[in-house]
Amino acid sequence: MVSEGNGAALDAKALRALTDTFAGQIVLPGDPEYDSARAVWNGMIDRRPAIVVRPSGAADVIAAIGFAREQNLTPAVRSGGHSIPGFSTCDDGIVVDLSRMRGVRVDPERRTAQANGGALLGELDREAQAFGLVCPVGVVSHTGAAGLTLGGGMGRLQRKLGLTIDSLLSVDVTTADGRLVRASEEENHDLFWGLRGAGANFGIATSFEFRLHPLSPVITHGTVLHHVDRAAELAALFREAVETGPDELWLGFGLGLALPVESFPPEIAGQPVALVSVLHSGSIEDAERDLARLRAFGPPAVDSIEAKPYVETQHISDEAMRWGHRFYMKSAFLAALPDDLVELIGEHVSKAPEGADGGVSIWTCGRAIAGVPEEATAFAGRDAAFWVAAEILWDDATLDGRCREWAKETMADVLPFASAGRYVNDVAEAGEDVARGVYGDAKYRRLVELKRAWDPDNLFRLNQNVQP
């Protein structure tokens, strides 16, 4: 036996057999790269897997799954490593790290993109925009395309183009029994249904095919920011723009703190603020017209709305959300944004722990998202008007408990306003009741049947788990 120094041990003969056939990299405790190999994006997560494997292709993924089953190791799958609760690593199990399987290939004639299982959002944005095309994805470029997609995929283009899964054409998946299968509307249709919103339950995705959409390389993006005293008036303007604006206009409303202080004017630095962020994917002239009332309200303490490259907007949050910060969040969907909820959120923001950056974000949903029937995919919550999240980021480990409690208490007061469904990529807690609450009873029952068909032993359980 090979001792791993953390309570786990691997069979030496089995490990040699894996090493002899594995084309990628194998990292064990004690290796120089072990600590970096086990690290993930959220600085709160500190786990020690028995082995980390970095496949070079689907054959290596199949070998890793076989080794996991043979050695009774729980697999964690890491694409970008952004799982908030740390599902992309584990104690005493096997981490299948897809970082050596990056790469995106665009077919501009067919308007499709083939993204490997380890591809990051920044790669997909860059390669698609080289041809004036886009896939609707999230807002931090170092996020893994796989994890984002398998949970649904929310982002700034969602009112116009829908969720990431609404542009998903097919997925190649390595299943629990070591088969490589393709799922699409034509092949393994039921599996394709489940992969779009609950995908981490059914295997390791090694390749995705996305439909791409025309998008001008230059869009209009930015934020207007006011002191929190004007939150109610700003929220009213936000609601009006949501209702009357075109599909090309995405908006986010937020309440938070003007941090870091050096990035804001002295009169609001460190103070509670209200803001509206926008991305208008139509013409510059249309954007000026559609945003005129919002920008005339003021004067704002900050107005950063301007024409800029779309790819640039996709990197704006990268530094703030860089690896190593401690992070926690809770979220829900909303049918409406009444004034009393805005006031309630403001009260919680003012109580965010000192030394942390806590705030509440509200994104517009609807339009293209709601245009897809609720029953068409496992994702639940298409009828929501808004998504709301209490998010908090900090670096001091002694604040862990206070920061988590702030987010929980904030969302506890928001929940009476919530509508059905949850965005699974945001869910930090785990358990059968949690998964059932995410998907609702009817979809959960269907997912259980899929799980029994594709992973009856629940090998893939480090996720918002559907138990067979």
Side-chain angles (χ1 to χ4, degrees):
M1 304 294 284
V2 178
S3 174
E4 305 312 324
N6 61 341
L10 301 176
D11 180 80
K13 182 178 179 181
L15 183 58
R16 282 195 300 272
L18 177 67
T19 303
D20 288 344
T21 59
F22 200 81
Q25 183 184 20
I26 295 174
V27 183
L28 299 171
D31 289 347
E33 290 189 48
Y34 178 71
D35 282 338
S36 61
R38 69 185 183 87
V40 290
W41 168 78
N42 189 347
M44 277 206 302
I45 310 301
D46 183 20
R47 295 179 184 147
R48 303 188 67 84
I51 180 173
V52 177
V53 296
R54 291 170 169 161
S56 62
D60 281 349
V61 174
I62 293 171
I65 290 175
F67 184 78
R69 294 189 70 96
E70 179 184 324
Q71 297 296 301
N72 196 28
L73 297 172
T74 299
V77 184
R78 171 176 159 177
S79 177
H82 275 239
S83 166
I84 293 166
F87 289 142
S88 42
T89 187
C90 57
D91 282 322
D92 298 334
I94 179 172
V95 172
V96 183
D97 176 358
L98 302 179
S99 60
R100 290 194 166 195
M101 294 176 62
R102 292 196 174 142
V104 173
R105 186 177 69 256
V106 170
D107 184 334
E109 298 299 321
R110 295 180 60 235
R111 291 184 178 175
T112 60
Q114 197 80 24
N116 291 328
L120 304 181
L121 300 189
E123 297 176 78
L124 183 53
D125 287 330
R126 182 181 66 250
E127 296 300 319
Q129 275 285 275
F131 301 97
L133 300 170
V134 74
C135 181
V137 294
V139 299
V140 177
S141 75
H142 46 78
T143 304
L148 178 98
T149 301
L150 296 174
M154 295 180 64
R156 299 188 189 103
L157 296 174
Q158 62 189 25
R159 291 229 300 175
K160 173 69 174 175
L161 300 177
L163 304 168
T164 307
I165 54 173
D166 300 332
S167 293
L168 184 63
L169 296 173
S170 67
V171 191
D172 290 344
V173 183
T174 304
T175 61
D177 57 2
R179 289 181 293 149
L180 182 63
V181 303
R182 174 159 294 185
S184 67
E185 291 289 1
E186 293 76 32
E187 301 175 76
N188 298 303
H189 174 79
D190 280 353
L191 177 60
F192 191 53
W193 178 88
L195 288 169
R196 289 175 291 170
N201 275 277
F202 301 109
I204 299 179
T206 58
S207 181
F208 298 81
E209 184 183 18
F210 295 104
R211 179 186 299 110
L212 300 180
H213 311 266
L215 181 75
S216 169
V218 178
I219 50 80
T220 301
H221 172 268
T223 299
V224 292
L225 187 147
H226 295 263
H227 192 273
V228 75
D229 291 346
R230 309 203 71 184
E233 298 168 274
L234 191 61
L237 280 173
F238 169 73
R239 288 191 294 262
E240 177 185 326
V242 170
E243 185 170 340
T244 63
D247 292 354
E248 289 81 4
L249 177 59
W250 171 92
L251 303 103
F253 176 79
L255 294 170
L257 301 173
L259 295 173
V261 293
E262 61 271 15
S263 299
F264 294 90
E267 62 270 22
I268 60 165
Q271 301 298 308
V273 292
L275 60 90
V276 172
S277 294
V278 304
L279 188 147
H280 196 299
S281 58
S283 70
I284 304 303
E285 295 75 21
D286 286 351
E288 290 177 354
R289 179 199 65 212
D290 295 334
L291 297 171
R293 288 202 64 195
L294 177 67
R295 302 188 73 183
F297 174 71
V302 172
D303 182 349
S304 64
I305 297 174
E306 62 182 357
K308 63 187 70 168
Y310 172 74
V311 171
E312 180 182 315
T313 72
Q314 291 293 87
H315 289 270
I316 283 174
S317 299
D318 284 1
E319 175 59 22
M321 302 300 285
R322 68 182 183 272
W323 277 56
H325 287 309
R326 308 174 88 81
F327 183 83
Y328 187 80
M329 70 180 295
K330 289 185 73 69
S331 70
F333 289 122
L334 300 172
L337 180 63
D339 287 338
D340 49 349
L341 178 55
V342 174
E343 181 179 356
L344 182 64
I345 290 170
E347 293 172 1
H348 279 283
V349 168
S350 67
K351 300 174 185 175
E354 187 175 352
D357 188 356
V360 176
S361 301
I362 297 165
W363 287 13
T364 49
C365 298
R367 303 293 177 92
I369 297 175
V372 176
E374 176 65 33
E375 66 273 12
T377 64
F379 181 92
R382 289 185 177 273
D383 291 338
F386 304 101
W387 165 87
V388 57
E391 302 171 280
I392 189 161
L393 181 151
W394 69 103
D395 293 319
D396 182 353
T398 65
L399 294 176
D400 285 2
R402 291 171 59 196
C403 289
R404 285 194 298 259
E405 284 308 306
W406 175 85
K408 291 176 181 178
E409 290 171 3
T410 300
M411 195 52 57
D413 281 348
V414 171
L415 285 180
F417 300 87
S419 57
R422 291 181 71 183
Y423 182 36
V424 70
N425 286 344
D426 298 338
V427 181
E429 64 273 29
E432 183 177 6
D433 290 343
V434 174
R436 188 183 296 273
V438 168
Y439 299 108
D441 288 341
K443 286 190 175 183
Y444 188 79
R445 285 195 295 269
R446 183 172 176 181
L447 288 168
V448 168
E449 292 305 311
L450 275 176
K451 187 75 169 177
R452 289 171 179 167
W454 292 95
D455 184 16
D457 298 325
N458 203 13
L459 180 69
F460 299 109
R461 55 186 176 272
L462 291 182
N463 44 54
Q464 297 305 334
N465 193 229
V466 175
Q467 297 184 23

